[in-house]
Amino acid sequence: MATKNKKMKMMTLDQMKDKDIGKVGTPERDKYEFELRMEVLGDMIKSVRKERNLTQEQLGELIGVQKSQISKLERNTKNVTIETILKVFRALKANVRFSVEMNESEFKVA
Amino acid sequence: MATKNKKMKMMTLDQMKDKDIGKVGTPERDKYEFELRMEVLGDMIKSVRKERNLTQEQLGELIGVQKSQISKLERNTKNVTIETILKVFRALKANVRFSVEMNESEFKVA
DNA sequence: ACAAAAGTTTCCATATAACTCAACTTTTTT
DNA sequence: AAAAAAGTTGAGTTATATGGAAACTTTTGT
């Protein structure tokens, strides 16, 4: 495990990538969340899928699409719609949350 | 203000709606974030736009689209792509974050 | 080293998101 | 109460996301 603290519930995707999600099998962790930047959404899907021990084909079956479609989503070959994102993560029993944060300072009225 | 605590940095969209974002002008708050559920993304855009004191037309100009397009986005007439979401919030100088949380328990391997 | 499984890529069709323009409605201002 | 500003709606166009099928490549297992 990359982190020292056992109370760790949040991790970035980079952290995830670093330690390779596949290897992490600590059973104490029954629920956690991690953030992601938009560009890495595909990696996000892949990570969660792996965590669920599913192949692209199996995930595809859950959703009702071919494995090639899953591959495309994971590899970010297209700009993706919200509906698709939700569909995928719903199948993976994962909740998606969006958050928006405003940095007041940076905005100047024209 | 709907909340008692001044350290409040997180609020749901429902809370936002309740108190009408337009009225909230407390200057102490230089940066905050709130979550949103997918279905209310349009409201999210509207709220942030209002916070920025922009009209739909002005926001449209920033992005390079007509005000009617902004209206449609705010009114959730369509399923929207990530690119569009990012484009809008980027114009509003707001950072979007997606987070995914897995609920281990709910998943059963078939 | 071979076979099987998993993942990727290309070509293609179809559905729909993104967008404009113009007319219309609602809200705000004076 | 009128005018102006802001927001909404509908019709139509264009770009592109979704998806399938099949061949291909990479990885994993034996």
Side-chain angles (χ1 to χ4, degrees):
Chain A
M1 279 251 239
T3 43
K4 48 273 115 176
N5 194 325
K6 68 163 192 172
K7 215 170 154 274
M8 193 269 219
K9 291 227 167 195
M10 202 77 150
M11 56 174 148
T12 67
L13 183 62
D14 283 341
Q15 288 175 316
M16 281 193 45
K17 272 170 150 179
D18 285 345
K19 61 202 197 39
D20 183 14
I21 188 77
K23 288 180 194 153
V24 204
T26 41
E28 315 86 87
R29 192 182 63 195
D30 66 333
K31 174 180 172 179
Y32 63 91
E33 62 178 59
F34 40 83
E35 296 191 27
L36 79 161
R37 285 157 301 129
M38 205 63 284
E39 323 84 71
V40 291
L41 203 145
D43 293 309
M44 209 59 270
I45 295 172
K46 183 172 184 173
S47 297
V48 179
R49 176 175 63 80
K50 283 281 177 68
E51 182 88 345
R52 294 319 199 180
N53 284 301
L54 292 174
T55 65
Q56 291 183 342
E57 190 158 36
Q58 290 172 317
L59 175 54
E61 274 161 24
L62 288 176
I63 300 170
V65 301
Q66 297 294 113
K67 61 180 182 171
S68 59
Q69 183 63 9
I70 304 296
S71 175
K72 284 165 191 168
L73 294 174
E74 291 187 356
R75 314 205 88 236
N76 282 307
T77 50
K78 299 274 181 188
N79 176 20
V80 85
T81 64
I82 310 240
E83 200 169 279
T84 300
I85 296 171
L86 289 177
K87 202 193 302 184
V88 170
F89 287 110
R90 211 179 296 125
L92 291 166
K93 304 284 188 194
N95 299 325
V96 188
R97 289 285 226 346
F98 285 53
S99 63
V100 178
E101 76 172 29
M102 286 193 269
N103 28 346
E104 192 92 14
S105 50
E106 282 192 40
F107 204 77
K108 47 178 181 294
V109 186
Chain B
M1 282 249 240
T3 41
K4 8 56 277 271
N5 194 324
K6 67 162 190 170
K7 214 169 154 275
M8 192 270 219
K9 292 228 167 194
M10 203 79 151
M11 55 174 149
T12 67
L13 183 63
D14 282 343
Q15 287 174 315
M16 282 194 45
K17 273 170 147 177
D18 286 344
K19 63 202 196 37
D20 182 15
I21 189 77
K23 287 180 194 152
V24 204
T26 41
E28 314 87 87
R29 192 185 63 196
D30 66 334
K31 173 181 173 176
Y32 62 90
E33 62 179 60
F34 40 83
E35 296 190 28
L36 77 161
R37 284 158 301 130
M38 205 62 284
E39 323 83 72
V40 290
L41 203 145
D43 294 308
M44 210 57 269
I45 295 172
K46 183 172 184 173
S47 297
V48 179
R49 175 175 63 79
K50 282 280 178 68
E51 182 88 344
R52 296 317 200 182
N53 284 301
L54 294 174
T55 65
Q56 292 183 342
E57 191 158 37
Q58 291 172 316
L59 176 54
E61 275 160 25
L62 288 175
I63 300 170
V65 301
Q66 297 294 115
K67 61 179 182 173
S68 59
Q69 182 62 8
I70 304 296
S71 175
K72 282 164 188 167
L73 294 174
E74 291 186 357
R75 313 203 92 237
N76 283 308
T77 50
K78 299 273 181 186
N79 175 20
V80 85
T81 64
I82 310 240
E83 200 170 278
T84 300
I85 296 171
L86 289 177
K87 201 193 305 182
V88 171
F89 286 111
R90 211 180 295 128
L92 291 166
K93 304 281 190 196
N95 299 325
V96 188
R97 289 286 226 350
F98 284 52
S99 64
V100 177
E101 76 172 29
M102 287 193 266
N103 27 346
E104 193 91 14
S105 50
E106 281 192 39
F107 204 79
K108 48 180 180 291
V109 186

